[in-house]
Amino acid sequence: MTSPAETFFSKKDFLRGSVCFPAALALFWAAPFTPPQMSRAQIKVDVKLVLLDATVKDKAGHVLTHLKKENFLLSEDGQPRDIAHFSQDQLPLAVALVVQQNSWVQPFMRPLHYATLSILKALKPEDQIALFAFNDDVDRLVDLTYDKNKVAEAIDFQGKGAGTNINDAVYQAAKYLRETAPAARRVILLISDNMPAECKKGVDHEKVLQTVLESDAAVYSLKLPYRGPAGMSIANKMFEHWLISVSKLTADSGGEIIELEKEGSLYLAFQTILTRLKTRYTLGFYPIRTTADGKFHALGLQLAPSFGQKGRDYSVQVKTGYYATLPSVAAR
């Protein structure tokens, strides 16, 4: 018997429709952020232990899932560092599911419900999920919870309005994660056509990026096909330079864009993102200095020479540096 999910997840049905991140360990808290002056990802963390999450792919784009601590070479400011912590999908996740819910993405709402219901159950019991929905306004529909069914059931089938306020949606999600989940690996999962369109000006791109990096979250995007007014893309590029660039945001935070059209169904796209989260490596090291100097420190991560040359034989998705500052206690 064909399930509702199978009915809605087929590529045929979809074509008819026409919308890192290192986490602190329990002993360490996210620290204040100084806005970056460069485009590269920069994050502040407790100087006692610096953590970074990485996804490694071969030259064909396949994720390397069985690497060991000794396979990695880590450097800070060009100097080698010993890896003091190494794990894979062991720390709990705190995920903010940020869903575009305007009239343009109406055809995807019901299959999205079934996809989240199926996929979120595959997360670890200790993983938490929060749900944000946005059009021109942003609503937090579900606070962080271990109840994955509660999140899936809260996704409304009915799209509302025409605004696509990605800027404020990601900004609010990042602030929320930093305040409520200081000891988890933080992830923002944006489900959107990635085409911001607003009736009111909100937080600009640089402020959103700053807040995402401050929250120490990786942004993943499940990109839906664009079904809005023709010409909106051109208008955004010409007149609204403050609007967010999702591709830049995901790259700077160590995340990735997964396109629905390439995956074939929402279920498969979700599955790809879930695989990414489960195969990311978390590495940590202790800096040589004993005080917080407030400066940017560049990080380098590559595999041992036997794996070939980085950028040619394999790629690494990871943040490029951090600011060493005193830790601050996140609000609960």
Side-chain angles (χ1 to χ4, degrees), residues 9-244:
F9 295 154
S10 70
K11 190 169 185 179
K12 179 180 179 182
D13 288 342
F14 149 69
L15 291 173
R16 288 176 184 165
S18 301
V19 141
C20 74
F21 80 108
L25 293 172
L27 298 177
F28 303 101
W29 304 97
F33 178 82
T34 300
Q37 300 301 315
M38 295 166 272
S39 62
R40 57 189 177 181
Q42 303 170 350
I43 300 177
K44 295 181 177 182
V45 295
D46 183 353
V47 297
K48 294 181 180 178
L49 181 69
V50 177
L51 292 172
L52 56 155
D53 270 30
T55 296
V56 184
K57 299 180 182 180
D58 63 21
K59 59 183 177 182
H62 302 131
V63 177
L64 301 180
T65 59
H66 301 294
L67 297 174
K68 300 178 181 179
K69 173 182 174 180
E70 54 267 26
N71 297 143
F72 288 90
L73 299 176
L74 176 62
S75 66
E76 178 192 25
D77 296 330
Q79 300 300 313
R81 294 288 181 262
D82 292 331
I83 298 173
H85 171 84
F86 183 83
S87 65
Q88 189 175 30
D89 194 36
Q90 292 182 9
L91 302 178
L93 283 171
V95 180
L97 193 62
V98 181
V99 182
Q100 180 177 332
Q101 218 164 12
N102 61 17
S103 57
W104 301 351
V105 297
Q106 176 68 42
F108 305 101
M109 288 297 100
R110 187 176 292 272
L112 178 61
H113 166 78
Y114 288 117
T116 54
L117 192 62
S118 300
I119 291 296
L120 293 183
K121 290 180 179 178
L123 293 172
K124 301 188 299 294
E126 61 269 28
D127 294 337
Q128 297 184 78
I129 312 291
L131 176 63
F132 291 76
F134 70 96
N135 41 51
D136 201 48
D137 298 309
V138 184
D139 295 311
R140 190 172 76 240
L141 301 181
V142 181
D143 289 339
L144 275 175
T145 178
Y146 300 105
D147 187 350
K148 281 73 174 180
N149 288 343
K150 182 178 181 180
V151 173
E153 293 295 341
I155 295 177
D156 192 350
F157 294 160
Q158 192 67 39
K160 308 175 183 71
T164 312
N165 193 344
I166 300 176
N167 290 56
D168 284 357
V170 174
Y171 173 76
Q172 291 189 32
K175 286 185 63 180
Y176 177 75
L177 287 180
R178 183 171 189 259
E179 293 168 357
T180 58
R185 299 164 61 207
R186 279 157 271 176
V187 176
I188 296 173
L189 175 49
L190 173 66
I191 302 176
S192 169
D193 58 19
N194 292 357
M195 187 59 63
E198 303 171 52
C199 299
K200 58 183 180 182
K201 182 170 181 177
V203 182
D204 64 24
H205 175 91
E206 291 306 318
K207 180 64 175 178
V208 175
L209 176 59
Q210 171 187 332
T211 306
V212 166
L213 298 181
E214 178 181 348
S215 74
D216 203 9
V219 179
Y220 283 80
S221 164
L222 197 167
K223 185 181 183 302
L224 304 175
Y226 177 64
R227 294 290 184 265
M232 181 67 72
S233 176
I234 298 175
N236 282 350
K237 292 179 181 179
M238 291 179 61
F239 303 114
E240 300 185 83
H241 302 294
W242 61 274
L243 290 173
I244 201 161

